[in-house]
Amino acid sequence: MVAVYKSLLDKAERRPFKVTVIVALFILLPPCFLRITHMPDEGRYAEVSRETLVTQNGLVPHINGVPHLTKPPLYYNLGAAFLFLFGIHIFSIRLLSLCAFLIGLFWCVRWAMKRGGGKASLLGGMIGATIFQSAAQAQFADLNMLFSFWLMGGLLLFFDALERPENKASWCGAWIFFALAFLTKGPPALMIPLITIILFRLVSGRKFALPLSRWILGIALFCLIAFPWYIWIFLHERERLTHFWFDNIFRKTVLGEEKGSHYPGYYIPVFLIGGAGWSFLSLSELISNFKSRRKDLKSAHPSGGSPQKDHGKRIVDSIRRMPHDQLWLLCWILATIIPFSLILAGMISYILPCYPAFALYLALYFARKGEGFEQKKIRRTFLFSIVFFILVVWSWSLYGYVSVHSRSPRLLSLFPKRLEPSWINRRIRSFGKESYLLIQFDYFTPIFNFENQRNSVLVWESVNSQWPPPPNLRYAIEELQHHVRNNRPIALIVQPHNYQFISGEGWENLHVYFRGEHFILLVTDSLGAH
C-alpha cells in the first residue's frame, strides 16, 4: 500500500491539475452532500440568498422580510444564482464555496508552476487541497471562502504586475478582484492588500517601478466597481447602515462585545491548528533552520564573543535575500493574521485568506530545497492531512446525517443544539403540506426558513431589535391562539422555557410532536402529523 501511494505521488508531478481536483473532490463531496446545515452561520447565509432569489432584490439583502446589511450583496446574489440553477438545497449554496475553492486551487497550481516548475505546482495543489481549515470551509456555505478567492486572485495578479510592469492586464485584473472582494466583505478587502504592500516594500527594500498613471488607473477601476453600491445604499438606508456597521459589526469584531469574543492573539493558534499537519511541518522546518544557523554562528565566533549583532544582521539579510515571490507570500500571511489578532472577534474563518499564501509559500520553499530534501516528511504530512480531515469532517457529517434521518430522536442527545433543527425540518417536510404557517416563538433561527422555503411568522421576537418584521410576519399571542382554535395548519417552534405560554385552555388543537433540549415542535391536527 505504501509503495503504491509513493508511486502515485511520483507520477502525479506530470498531472498536477488532475491530482489536485481528484484529491479535493474526494475529500469534499461526501460532506457537501451529507452534512446537516450548520447553525447559525450556514442557515443565515443560505436564507439571505434564498430571499434574494425570491424577492429578486439584489441591492438590499433581506432575512425574514427585514433588511440585513451586515455584508455587501455580492455573495448573496451569487448564492441566489446557484439556488436558481441547482435548486433550493443547502448543497447548492455550498457549491458556491466549493467552486471558489477549486478555481483558487487551479490558480495556485498554475502560479506555482510558473514560479517553481512541476514539483512546486504539485505541492501547491496538494497542500492547498489538504490544509484543514481551507478544506473545511470549502464544504461550508460561508462568504469568507468567496472573499478569500477574490483576495487571492487580486494579490497574485498584483505581484505579477510588480514583476512585469508592462503587464497592464494583471494590474487591472488585481484591482478588479480587490473591488469584488470589497463587494463581498467590505473594508478587509483593502486592509489586507494595503498591509501586504507596505510590509513587502519595507522588508524587501524594493521600489515599485510603476508610473503614477498606472496607480490612478487601478484605483479608478476599483472605485468604479466597488463604490456605486455603497453610495446607493448610504443614500437609501443610512439609518440601518449606522446600526449594522457600527453598532453591530464594529462593536462585535473590534471591541469584542459579543458572546464569541476572544483574546488578542487568538488567531495565531487558530492559524496553526487550522493548518494542521502543514503548520507543524512548517514549525519543524523553522526550528531545524534556526538550530542550523545558530550552530553556524557559533562556529563563526570560536572565541566566544557576543554574536547577537551579527545574528540580527544575518536574519535581516536572509529575509532580504529570500526570493521575492516567497517574501510577498510571507507578507500576505502576516497581513492577514496580525490585524485580526489585534481585535477581539472569534470567527475562525476571518483568517481564511492567508491559507492560499501559506500553501504557495510551502510549495515554493520545498520545491527549491532540491532533490536532497527529505520527501518522506511531505508524503507523511499529506497522508496525515487527508486522514485527519476524513476522521473529523466525514465522521461528523455521517453522524449528523444518520441522526437526522433516524425516526427516533435519541441520537440527537449528543449535540442537541446542532442536530435538533435539522431533525425538526425534516419532520415538517414529511407532513407533505404546501400551505401552512411556520411560526417561531420568542427565538428566530434562519435555518427553519431556508429548509422549509418560507418566511416565519414571529411571536414575541424580531429579526433585529431596531426594526420589527413586516405586519404579515408578526403575530401577537392572541392572534396565534385564534389560528390554533380554528385548526389552521401550523408548525410552531418554541424553546422549552416558553412552552408554558402556549399550553392549557385555548391551545387544545396544538400538540407536541417533538420535545428536545433546545427546541419543541408543536403542530395542529390539520397539518397532517401522525
Side-chain angles (χ1 to χ4, degrees), residues 162-177:
L162 291 182
E163 291 285 279
R164 294 189 299 154
E166 73 281 0
N167 190 347
K168 189 180 290 188
S170 292
W171 181 256
C172 293
W175 287 97
I176 290 171
F177 271 76

Side-chain angles (χ1 to χ4, degrees), residues 246-308:
F246 178 75
D247 295 344
N248 189 305
I249 301 298
F250 180 77
R251 288 183 176 179
K252 181 177 71 173
T253 57
V254 178
L255 303 181
E257 295 179 3
E258 66 163 354
K259 197 174 182 179
S261 300
H262 289 274
Y263 50 87
Y266 164 76
Y267 286 101
I268 296 173
V270 166
F271 169 74
L272 294 175
I273 295 170
W278 298 111
S279 296
F280 294 106
L281 177 64
S282 304
L283 282 176
S284 172
E285 187 67 14
L286 185 65
I287 292 170
S288 176
N289 286 343
F290 177 78
K291 289 181 178 179
S292 175
R293 289 184 182 182
R294 190 175 181 183
K295 186 177 179 181
D296 293 341
L297 193 61
K298 284 184 177 180
S299 64
H301 293 267
S303 61
S306 175
Q308 282 83 357

Side-chain angles (χ1 to χ4, degrees), residues 91-110:
F91 174 75
S92 303
I93 200 75
R94 287 172 181 166
L95 192 59
L96 174 56
S97 295
L98 183 59
C99 287
F101 181 67
L102 288 175
I103 297 171
L105 278 180
F106 291 158
W107 200 331
C108 285
V109 170
R110 184 174 177 273

Side-chain angles (χ1 to χ4, degrees), residues 72-312:
L74 181 57
Y75 174 83
Y76 304 122
N77 289 331
L78 290 175
F82 272 71
L83 292 174
F84 175 77
L85 292 172
F86 303 105
I88 300 179
H89 187 276
I90 192 61
F91 174 75
S92 303
I93 200 75
R94 287 172 181 166
L95 192 59
L96 174 56
S97 295
L98 183 59
C99 287
F101 181 67
L102 288 175
I103 297 171
L105 278 180
F106 291 158
W107 200 331
C108 285
V109 170
R110 184 174 177 273
W111 198 83
M113 184 174 287
K114 288 197 305 182
R115 298 284 165 182
K119 183 177 291 185
S121 67
L122 176 62
L123 287 172
M126 287 169 49
I127 296 171
T130 56
I131 290 177
F132 180 79
Q133 188 174 341
S134 289
Q137 293 294 139
Q139 48 89 53
F140 197 92
D142 183 353
L143 64 75
N144 286 291
M145 178 55 70
L146 181 65
F147 172 70
S148 178
F149 169 70
W150 298 134
L151 211 55
M152 181 205 75
L155 287 165
L156 293 182
L157 287 170
F158 194 95
F159 182 77
D160 288 342
L162 291 182
E163 291 285 279
R164 294 189 299 154
E166 73 281 0
N167 190 347
K168 189 180 290 188
S170 292
W171 181 256
C172 293
W175 287 97
I176 290 171
F177 271 76
F178 291 151
L180 294 173
F182 198 75
L183 282 172
T184 301
K185 197 172 179 177
L190 285 178
M191 177 189 73
I192 294 174
L194 184 61
I195 297 176
T196 302
I197 293 166
I198 293 172
L199 278 177
F200 181 74
R201 174 67 180 85
L202 292 175
V203 175
S204 68
R206 173 180 174 178
K207 293 183 179 179
F208 299 151
L210 290 164
L212 179 62
S213 60
R214 191 69 60 83
W215 287 96
I216 294 174
L217 173 63
I219 294 171
L221 266 175
F222 177 89
C223 294
L224 187 65
I225 297 169
F227 285 167
W229 178 82
Y230 285 89
I231 294 170
W232 184 90
I233 202 70
F234 179 78
L235 293 175
H236 289 79
E237 297 282 355
R238 186 180 306 178
E239 183 184 356
R240 295 183 197 270
L241 285 184
T242 302
H243 167 73
F244 278 109
W245 291 0
F246 178 75
D247 295 344
N248 189 305
I249 301 298
F250 180 77
R251 288 183 176 179
K252 181 177 71 173
T253 57
V254 178
L255 303 181
E257 295 179 3
E258 66 163 354
K259 197 174 182 179
S261 300
H262 289 274
Y263 50 87
Y266 164 76
Y267 286 101
I268 296 173
V270 166
F271 169 74
L272 294 175
I273 295 170
W278 298 111
S279 296
F280 294 106
L281 177 64
S282 304
L283 282 176
S284 172
E285 187 67 14
L286 185 65
I287 292 170
S288 176
N289 286 343
F290 177 78
K291 289 181 178 179
S292 175
R293 289 184 182 182
R294 190 175 181 183
K295 186 177 179 181
D296 293 341
L297 193 61
K298 284 184 177 180
S299 64
H301 293 267
S303 61
S306 175
Q308 282 83 357
K309 187 179 292 186
D310 287 347
H311 187 50

Side-chain angles (χ1 to χ4, degrees), residues 256-394:
E257 295 179 3
E258 66 163 354
K259 197 174 182 179
S261 300
H262 289 274
Y263 50 87
Y266 164 76
Y267 286 101
I268 296 173
V270 166
F271 169 74
L272 294 175
I273 295 170
W278 298 111
S279 296
F280 294 106
L281 177 64
S282 304
L283 282 176
S284 172
E285 187 67 14
L286 185 65
I287 292 170
S288 176
N289 286 343
F290 177 78
K291 289 181 178 179
S292 175
R293 289 184 182 182
R294 190 175 181 183
K295 186 177 179 181
D296 293 341
L297 193 61
K298 284 184 177 180
S299 64
H301 293 267
S303 61
S306 175
Q308 282 83 357
K309 187 179 292 186
D310 287 347
H311 187 50
K313 187 175 183 299
R314 287 191 179 199
I315 291 175
V316 173
D317 289 343
S318 66
I319 292 174
R320 292 207 160 181
R321 286 197 305 268
M322 185 185 295
H324 278 182
D325 48 12
Q326 286 181 235
L327 184 57
W328 175 259
L329 295 169
L330 184 60
C331 292
W332 172 357
I333 294 169
L334 295 175
T336 307
I337 296 175
I338 292 175
F340 284 113
S341 294
L342 298 177
I343 64 176
L344 302 176
M347 182 76 75
I348 62 173
S349 58
Y350 283 172
I351 61 165
L352 195 62
C354 75
Y355 287 111
F358 181 53
L360 285 170
Y361 181 88
L362 293 183
L364 295 177
Y365 174 81
F366 290 132
R368 289 166 178 169
K369 289 285 285 187
E371 295 297 327
F373 181 70
E374 182 56 65
Q375 299 294 325
K376 285 184 180 179
K377 291 182 180 179
I378 294 178
R379 293 191 178 104
R380 288 171 181 168
T381 306
F382 177 61
L383 186 59
F384 168 81
S385 299
I386 291 178
V387 172
F388 181 69
F389 185 89
I390 289 174
L391 286 176
V392 175
V393 179
W394 283 26

